[in-house]
């Protein structure tokens, strides 16, 4: 059973703001996912960023390990360290987390991937500008000042938490998995809003979550949410659902395995996660939930997603070995 995921144009944003805000509110309150078009990023720019991401993940594991993941900072490269409660096993993917601050010595160099840092920073800024347009519409709908979310997501401040995540789902060609085994387990994003760039099919949405404290998944209500050329897929996260007193919906989504006849190779996607500044206080206008700092909100959410890093802080040998044969951990776990 599916629900339509609408496309919303940001063309002539200032003159059409009320119309756009109404469309965004409808999408966010009904399903929590929507597509943006006419947003200012060209399809060529998006494809080039995906190409740079692919070039990074094609590097040897020993080279990627120079940027090993730091859970406390949520920065760096990890492989097979994410585990969703819905799947109970590590996800068959690797990712690179980038941020606005604390990145000294953490950027891939031109020797790793030419022009990676400069292009990524420019892309991140464009993502932030688009995010501010969307968030200003939600601020108006919630009765906040129009720049409320802009002030609480200020990337110029050192406590900014926005995360730019590059993801590589490993090829499943020639491999067998249990029935209904997901490529990425069902989960809700914990941020404010997410901007997603990807190629092809696989992403599915399960609408119907009525409260941020609700964790039930309706197994027969997955709606396909394929990537559309030139469009950005956007979804509401738990932080905004809480900030809106559950009016804006952060719904479960997953990445399914390719079906017979579909491309079985690697899948690449990029997410720009809007997270409020650490000092921001998350509480809705009707105060349905007690106030919480964005720092504590993110810390608790990260701890629930990532596997323990115990024993991985010294020698990189373990993580490099796992990265070279990531399917082993998953297949062993489901045997």
């Amino acid at each position: 059973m599916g629900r339509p995921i609408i496309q919303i144009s940001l063309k002539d944003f200032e003159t059409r703001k009320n119309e756009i805000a109404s469309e965004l509110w409808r999408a966010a309150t009904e399903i929590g996912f929507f597509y943006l078009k006419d947003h200012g990023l060209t399809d060529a720019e998006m494809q080039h960023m995906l190409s740079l991401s692919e070039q990074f993940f094609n590097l040897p594991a020993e080279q990627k390990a120079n940027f090993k993941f730091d859970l406390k900072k949520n920065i760096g490269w990890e492989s097979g360290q994410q585990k969703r409660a819905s799947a109970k096993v590590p996800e068959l993917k690797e990712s690179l987390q980038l941020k606005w601050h604390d990145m000294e010595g953490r950027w891939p160099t031109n020797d790793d991937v030419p022009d990676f840092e400069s292009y990524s920073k420019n892309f991140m800024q464009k993502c932030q500008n688009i995010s501010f347009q969307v968030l200003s519409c939600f601020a108006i709908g919630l009765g906040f000042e129009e720049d409320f979310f802009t002030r609480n997501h200020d990337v110029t401040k050192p406590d900014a938490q926005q995360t730019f995540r590059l993801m590589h789902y490993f090829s499943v060609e020639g491999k067998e998995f249990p029935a209904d085994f997901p490529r990425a387990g069902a989960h809700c994003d914990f941020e404010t809003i997410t901007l997603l760039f990807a190629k092809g099919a696989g992403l599915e949405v399960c609408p119907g979550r009525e409260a941020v404290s609700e964790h039930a998944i309706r197994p027969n209500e997955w709606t396909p949410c394929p990537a559309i050329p030139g469009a950005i897929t956007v979804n509401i996260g738990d932080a905004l659902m809480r900030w809106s007193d559950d009016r804006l919906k952060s719904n479960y989504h997953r990445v399914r395995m390719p079906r017979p006849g579909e491309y079985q190779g690697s899948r690449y996607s990029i997410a720009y996660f809007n997270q409020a500044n650490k000092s921001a206080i998350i509480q809705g206008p009707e105060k349905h939930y007690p106030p919480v700092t964005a720092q504590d909100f993110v810390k608790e959410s990260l701890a629930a997603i990532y596997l323990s890093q115990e024993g991985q802080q010294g020698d990189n040998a373990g993580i490099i070995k796992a990265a070279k044969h990531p399917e082993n951990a998953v297949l062993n776990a489901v045997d």
Side-chain angles (χ1 to χ4, degrees), residues 85-301:
S86 60
K88 299 181 174 60
V89 293
E91 292 187 340
L92 197 58
K93 76 171 190 289
E94 60 181 330
S95 67
L96 176 67
Q97 278 65 225
L98 307 169
K99 303 187 84 169
W100 286 92
H101 302 282
D102 294 323
M103 288 295 297
E104 293 76 13
R106 297 176 182 272
W107 282 102
T109 68
N110 284 332
D111 289 335
D112 297 312
V113 180
D115 201 33
F116 184 94
E117 180 178 354
S118 60
Y119 198 89
S120 296
K121 286 180 176 178
N122 183 58
F123 197 90
M124 289 166 66
Q125 185 60 64
K126 291 184 177 182
C127 288
Q128 193 60 57
N129 295 341
I130 296 166
S131 301
F132 282 158
Q133 289 182 312
V134 174
L135 288 170
S136 69
C137 292
F138 289 140
I140 294 170
L142 291 169
F144 293 130
E145 294 180 356
E146 188 171 337
D147 68 343
F148 175 80
F149 288 118
T150 304
R151 289 185 277 112
N152 282 286
H153 294 73
D154 188 348
V155 298
T156 67
K157 294 183 177 179
D159 70 340
Q161 299 188 97
Q162 280 90 334
T163 303
F164 191 50
R165 178 182 295 164
L166 315 182
M167 291 168 280
H168 170 214
Y169 295 84
F170 301 113
S171 170
V172 296
E173 193 169 6
K175 299 180 176 65
E176 294 184 6
F177 297 89
D180 297 322
F181 187 84
R183 210 167 190 179
H187 65 282
C188 297
D189 290 351
F190 61 81
E191 298 81 8
T192 312
I193 62 171
T194 301
L195 274 59
L196 181 67
F197 308 86
K199 293 181 180 180
L203 180 64
E204 296 180 323
V205 184
C206 183
R209 191 171 179 230
E210 297 300 328
V212 76
S213 56
E214 180 185 333
H215 301 293
I217 301 175
R218 294 157 179 78
N220 298 319
E221 294 190 20
W222 291 102
T223 297
C225 187
I228 296 177
I232 304 173
T233 305
V234 183
N235 65 280
I236 307 301
D238 284 356
L240 187 54
M241 189 170 183
R242 181 168 176 147
W243 232 324
S244 70
D245 297 311
D246 290 331
R247 283 182 282 179
L248 307 180
K249 306 303 184 184
S250 171
N251 276 316
Y252 280 94
H253 50 285
R254 68 182 182 185
V255 178
R256 63 166 174 77
M257 283 288 185
R259 297 189 177 110
E262 291 183 337
Y263 177 66
Q264 307 285 313
S266 293
R267 182 180 192 270
Y268 297 91
S269 64
I270 297 172
Y272 186 79
F273 296 114
N274 282 273
Q275 297 170 178
N277 294 84
K278 292 179 180 180
S279 57
I281 303 298
I282 300 174
Q283 187 174 44
E286 298 177 6
K287 298 178 171 56
H288 284 193
Y289 298 98
V292 61
T293 65
Q295 180 178 21
D296 287 342
F297 191 84
V298 170
K299 183 179 180 181
E300 292 171 6
S301 300

Side-chain angles (χ1 to χ4, degrees), residues 15-36:
T15 57
R16 296 180 53 246
K17 186 178 294 184
N18 290 338
E19 175 190 348
I20 293 170
S22 177
E23 292 178 348
L24 289 171
W25 189 266
R26 174 193 163 201
T29 54
E30 290 182 0
I31 193 170
F33 273 74
F34 49 89
Y35 297 107
L36 290 180

